[in-house]
Amino acid sequence: MDLYPWICGLFIEEPYRGNAYGALLMEQAKADAKKGGFTHVYLSTDHIGYYEKDGFQYIGTGYHPWDESSRIYGISL
């Protein structure tokens, strides 16, 4: 794991979607990471198009120990 720190587990329940809560949580996670001295944050997802609109850039494909893969994204803080 040469990429660190990771943002994981961002989920907004359906009745609360459409209120920009995901963007608010993501901005807070990035602010916390920056405050902690990090210059980048990373995430792994299968959602194409969602994180790119917030400036995340596709890095490559990551492979999990349970024989699945997902896309890896990063952003400079």
Side-chain angles (χ1 to χ4, degrees):
M1 302 299 290
D2 21 335
L3 304 177
Y4 185 81
W6 289 85
I7 296 174
C8 64
L10 176 63
F11 180 80
I12 306 298
E13 291 189 24
E14 200 166 329
Y16 303 101
R17 294 178 188 168
N19 296 302
Y21 294 146
L24 290 171
L25 288 170
M26 187 60 69
E27 287 306 313
Q28 186 63 53
K30 292 188 313 189
D32 289 346
K34 188 172 184 175
K35 185 177 177 182
F38 295 100
T39 59
H40 294 79
V41 292
Y42 303 92
L43 58 84
S44 176
T45 186
D46 293 329
H47 297 288
I48 298 171
Y50 181 79
Y51 295 100
E52 292 93 333
K53 68 181 179 185
D54 291 326
F56 279 85
Q57 295 188 359
Y58 174 70
I59 295 173
T61 301
Y63 298 93
H64 305 287
W66 50 89
D67 293 329
E68 292 181 12
S69 64
S70 59
R71 297 170 64 88
I72 298 174
Y73 291 85
I75 192 168
S76 201
L77 300 177

